[in-house]
Amino acid sequence: MSKPFTPKVVTANALLEGDVVYLDQKSEWVRDLQDAEVVTDEASAELKLLEAEARGHEAVGVYLADVAVEDGMIKTTHFREAFRAKGPSNYRHGKQAELT
Amino acid sequence: MYHYNDFDRDFLAERNAQFRAQVTRRIDGSLTEDEFKPLRLMNGLYLQLHAYMLRVAIPYGTLDSAKMRQLAMIADRWDKGYGHFTTRQNIQYNWPDLRDVPDMLDALAEVGMHAIQTSGNTIRNVTADHFAGAAADEIEDPRPVAELLRQWSTDHAEFQFLPRKFKIAITGSPNDRAVTKAHDIGLRMVRNTAGEPGFEVIVGGGLGRTPMVGKVLRDFLPKADLLPYVEAIVSVSNLLGRRDNKYKARIKITVHENGLETIRDLVEERFALLKPAFEGIDQTLLAGIEAQFAAPAFTTASVAPFKDAYHHDPVFRSWVDTNITKHRNDDYAIVSISIKAHGQTPGDATSEQMRVMADLAEEFGHDELRISHEQNVILPHVHRSHLPAIHAKLKENGLATANIGLISDIIACPGMDYCALATARSIPVAQQIATRFDELKLEHEIGDLKIKISGCINACGHHHVGHIGILGLDRAGVENYQITLGGDGTETAAIGERAGPGFAYDEIVPAIERLIYAYLDLRDNEDETFLQTYRRLGLAPFKAALYPEAKANAA
């Protein structure tokens, strides 16, 4: 039996800045994880991934990242995604400084 | 130092123009990422966790003040005001925008620098002893040979698609400060029985997932044979190296699978063909390069100001005792500037610090700077009378930390704070160890100790050759740190031994602390270093200190 599907977001790095981006409900690339669309079934996840991959002139290295939704907030479930959503831990650079 | 001629300048201008056009075509959609990626990697441009990263080569770690100031300018104009010096004598910019990279490369070209072959399956930046040309123990300055290798390997048509990346390190001293035994080719200058200088050629060393200490392919290679012989080795590796499996493609595996004797025979056979084909052109070029590496005009002056400051100022004395190395000229000193103030990111320098170091080099250091593989900056030629002024200036700029070779002089790769390949963070572990032992005020009592931290199995942080090595891994979605002990990156190279199960992120610093207290208890006397104690006693007592609960359970 296959594993149950866990919620996901479509993520990549923006072509020009290299910054981490996520797909939102309008299929636009957004910088803040909280603005991302959380996909809850496998079929639409695969479809969205394919669509995002076709937009290689906007973003690079598209993949599906696991998330969880708690109290209306999107939470990462792996530490790598937590760093991607926040920025490095040695300086206040990246999203932690740029997102208001 | 070497200065670009018209050929170098034209080549670089053409390459940079090509890359500018490639970036334009990527942005306008004419090139896909699959098409663009190999092109950007050839020019040192990576896409990392949060941004692009540009890796710039500092050939054999040598810079002058103009180059250092340009690196600072680039950091200010196109990055976030700092750069990260790496274990392969490169500098990395962590935040460039794709559109700006062609301008950054043009700015580098203005001072004779580039990012070519800092990535990809090519011959990478040739690294060298950071004390080259200054060290008291040196036979000859190895940098002319390193520059010859740079010119030969740059855009070498035969070696643009090797089975895997290929790293060469060179030293002119018997004391190996260039980790030559952990490179695809290591070149260590030695003398033959007639007293002539030549090279011990070491092959098949490397760290990564299969760490190996290099093996001696030739005990003594005459200097004049060096280039055709190195070409023969790379050529054999190019033919035999496995392209079916990237984890088995490095020459260390080729040597391991085919045997050293077979490799030696093939190299000698190829060398016999190549040597006459060179027709001595390499030696003509080398002679021209050597002329550009003439020693600076050393000055003679009284060293009394130095002696006076050493006698009266304990902070200066501590810095001199820790950060100064003997120069081949008795009135001179080699200054290692620590860019590892306690709690700072190992290897990072701000643009302001870069400019300060450039100014010091220009005013007091015959305009020479070096980057060490241990991620510090060196002023190789300083008259001792200038040391007090240099120390004062460094102190004003957070650069006077007296910790070279000590527990806080940690090598750390960027780890998961920046690197897309990393499996755990390295930088915060280094910061916490340095801060902790600074609080304990134990650093100088502990003495010589090399801690090296990698954030993944690829071992950019050289953890295998750390006296204490730390490897960060992802264990079931949690950062976990394995400790290896007894590694050594010098002429007595050894791969560290794994101590046991890994430690969680919040357990790794206390584990290191237990290890250090055990060493302080176990050492014969204050002069016995951690590595010597480890070699005398082996793993067992250190393991007991690391895993006290296991000992308790067994009792």
Side-chain angles (χ1 to χ4, degrees):
Chain A
M1 208 177 81
S2 61
K3 280 200 293 187
F5 184 80
T6 50
K8 290 184 172 50
V9 292
V10 177
T11 185
N13 290 76
L15 172 68
L16 296 178
E17 301 85 3
D19 190 16
V20 174
V21 289
Y22 307 95
L23 263 193
D24 75 359
Q25 285 186 329
K26 290 180 281 184
S27 276
E28 282 172 15
W29 294 110
V30 292
R31 310 276 158 161
D32 189 338
L33 176 63
Q34 297 310 319
D35 297 333
E37 179 187 17
V38 177
V39 192
T40 50
D41 71 284
E42 189 158 6
S44 44
E46 291 303 323
L47 190 62
K48 282 175 191 299
L49 182 65
L50 282 173
E51 284 169 3
E53 278 170 348
R55 294 162 65 181
H57 52 290
E58 297 167 1
V60 180
V62 183
Y63 66 95
L64 295 166
D66 282 321
V67 291
V69 180
E70 288 171 24
D71 303 329
M73 294 291 284
I74 305 174
K75 302 266 169 95
T76 55
T77 58
H78 190 280
F79 61 94
R80 187 176 194 272
E81 290 306 322
F83 294 131
R84 289 182 79 243
K86 183 171 173 239
S89 52
N90 61 331
Y91 302 118
R92 200 177 154 73
H93 287 162
K95 292 193 187 298
Q96 58 199 328
E98 287 152 15
L99 295 175
T100 49
Chain B
M1 72 187 287
Y2 181 75
H3 291 281
Y4 275 17
N5 59 23
D6 288 344
F7 177 86
D8 296 304
R9 278 187 287 272
D10 292 348
F11 165 73
L12 207 48
E14 193 186 335
R15 271 290 290 252
N16 286 350
Q18 285 169 356
F19 188 60
R20 183 177 289 278
Q22 288 156 2
V23 169
T24 304
R25 280 183 281 144
R26 176 68 182 110
I27 292 173
D28 75 16
S30 315
L31 289 177
T32 65
E33 185 61 18
D34 283 349
E35 289 163 334
F36 180 63
K37 189 177 175 184
L39 301 172
R40 67 168 160 81
L41 289 178
M42 274 183 211
N43 292 285
L45 185 63
Y46 287 73
L47 183 51
Q48 293 286 43
L49 215 53
H50 314 291
Y52 286 95
M53 179 272 280
L54 183 66
R55 179 184 292 159
V56 177
I58 300 168
Y60 35 90
T62 293
L63 290 168
D64 60 13
S65 59
K67 287 185 165 78
M68 187 66 119
R69 287 193 190 106
Q70 193 77 337
L71 294 179
M73 187 281 284
I74 290 169
D76 280 339
R77 183 157 173 198
W78 292 295
D79 208 89
K80 293 190 189 292
Y82 75 101
H84 176 74
F85 292 105
T86 78
T87 52
R88 295 219 74 256
Q89 298 176 319
N90 298 307
I91 182 170
Q92 297 183 169
Y93 294 105
N94 286 325
W95 301 95
D97 188 300
L98 178 59
R99 279 171 297 211
D100 293 333
V101 175
D103 289 341
M104 295 169 82
L105 294 179
D106 284 347
L108 287 167
E110 284 172 19
V111 291
M113 296 183 79
H114 62 68
I116 296 168
Q117 288 177 215
T118 59
S119 175
N121 296 332
T122 55
I123 299 171
R124 301 289 186 90
N125 185 27
V126 175
T127 53
D129 179 3
H130 43 274
F131 295 162
D137 60 353
E138 187 170 88
I139 296 171
E140 266 183 32
D141 187 344
R143 291 175 304 154
V145 171
E147 172 58 25
L148 184 70
L149 287 166
R150 186 196 71 81
Q151 295 186 15
W152 158 85
S153 63
T154 303
D155 211 31
H156 192 301
E158 188 181 334
F159 303 138
Q160 291 304 295
F161 297 93
L162 293 170
R164 197 75 179 89
K165 59 187 165 185
F166 202 97
K167 299 177 182 176
I168 302 176
I170 184 166
T171 175
S173 298
N175 296 304
D176 183 1
R177 290 174 289 262
V179 211
T180 59
K181 289 187 175 173
H183 282 75
D184 295 280
I185 296 179
L187 300 166
R188 202 163 72 96
M189 200 173 269
V190 289
R191 288 188 194 279
N192 65 6
T193 44
E196 297 154 338
F199 289 98
E200 178 186 68
V201 182
I202 299 155
V203 72
L207 303 175
R209 70 179 58 216
T210 320
M212 289 192 188
V213 172
K215 298 169 181 70
V216 176
L217 195 61
R218 262 270 201 128
D219 290 329
F220 183 83
L221 182 74
K223 250 180 84 181
D225 291 345
L226 187 99
L227 201 52
Y229 195 81
V230 168
E231 182 162 320
I233 297 172
V234 184
S235 160
V236 166
S237 168
N238 199 13
L239 275 180
L240 280 190
R242 285 179 54 176
R243 286 178 155 82
D244 62 318
N245 181 343
K246 74 181 234 184
Y247 302 123
K248 298 193 171 177
R250 296 288 288 271
I251 195 174
K252 62 189 173 187
I253 305 292
T254 315
V255 171
H256 188 71
E257 288 185 346
N258 293 274
L260 187 64
E261 296 307 316
T262 306
I263 299 295
R264 183 178 288 133
D265 291 347
L266 289 167
V267 168
E268 293 294 341
E269 199 180 308
R270 181 86 185 134
F271 170 67
L273 280 173
L274 286 172
K275 167 82 177 162
F278 271 68
E279 294 176 340
I281 181 68
D282 52 321
Q283 292 307 296
T284 311
L285 280 171
L286 181 62
I289 295 168
E290 276 172 342
Q292 298 198 45
F293 282 92
F298 295 125
T299 52
T300 43
S302 164
V303 295
F306 161 72
K307 287 183 174 164
D308 191 48
Y310 188 84
H311 188 72
H312 289 104
D313 179 353
V315 177
F316 175 69
R317 186 159 60 238
S318 166
W319 177 76
V320 167
D321 289 345
T322 310
N323 292 32
I324 300 300
T325 307
K326 190 172 161 51
H327 194 279
R328 63 193 173 91
N329 179 321
D330 282 343
D331 288 349
Y332 271 69
I334 302 171
V335 175
S336 293
I337 302 171
S338 168
I339 44 175
K340 299 179 190 170
H342 300 109
Q344 295 300 305
T345 302
D348 279 10
T350 65
S351 55
E352 190 49 38
Q353 289 176 328
M354 290 184 217
R355 278 186 283 269
V356 166
M357 294 186 282
D359 291 348
L360 289 174
E362 191 174 31
E363 190 175 354
F364 301 115
H366 297 274
D367 207 24
E368 281 210 36
L369 293 143
R370 307 286 169 72
I371 307 304
S372 75
H373 82 269
E374 292 181 319
Q375 301 179 285
N376 290 308
V377 180
I378 317 294
L379 298 172
H381 306 295
V382 172
H383 193 275
R384 285 181 178 264
S385 61
H386 294 139
L387 287 173
I390 289 172
H391 179 250
K393 187 77 182 169
L394 291 174
K395 211 157 77 173
E396 283 168 25
N397 290 279
L399 290 168
T401 312
N403 65 345
I404 296 294
L406 303 181
I407 193 168
S408 62
D409 186 9
I410 299 171
I411 289 185
C413 73
M416 203 182 272
D417 286 305
Y418 297 92
C419 180
L421 299 174
T423 44
R425 284 172 294 172
S426 308
I427 291 168
V429 175
Q431 290 173 310
Q432 288 165 36
I433 292 172
T435 307
R436 179 63 183 146
F437 283 92
D438 188 41
E439 284 164 2
L440 294 172
K441 296 290 164 217
L442 273 178
E443 181 155 51
H444 290 266
E445 193 184 329
I446 297 161
D448 284 354
L449 182 63
K450 292 186 191 299
I451 297 186
K452 300 178 198 275
I453 310 175
S454 304
C456 84
I457 199 167
N458 294 309
C460 294
H462 292 188
H463 66 277
H464 297 294
V465 293
H467 301 164
I468 299 174
I470 301 175
L471 167 62
L473 294 169
D474 174 350
R475 283 280 178 261
V478 181
E479 287 169 296
N480 188 272
Y481 294 87
Q482 277 182 7
I483 292 178
T484 50
L485 297 172
D488 176 2
T490 70
E491 64 282 359
T492 48
I495 303 294
E497 203 174 341
R498 202 181 135 189
F503 294 89
Y505 180 74
D506 56 0
E507 290 172 357
I508 183 66
V509 180
I512 298 297
E513 205 174 314
R514 290 199 296 281
L515 201 54
I516 296 304
Y517 279 117
Y519 154 66
L520 292 175
D521 281 344
L522 291 163
R523 67 181 177 187
D524 255 353
N525 56 64
E526 283 182 15
D527 294 329
E528 191 180 58
T529 65
F530 180 89
L531 188 61
Q532 287 166 342
T533 305
Y534 181 81
R535 284 182 171 165
R536 179 169 59 81
L537 296 173
L539 184 62
F542 294 100
K543 197 167 174 164
L546 277 174
Y547 306 100
E549 64 286 352
K551 197 178 157 194
N553 292 343

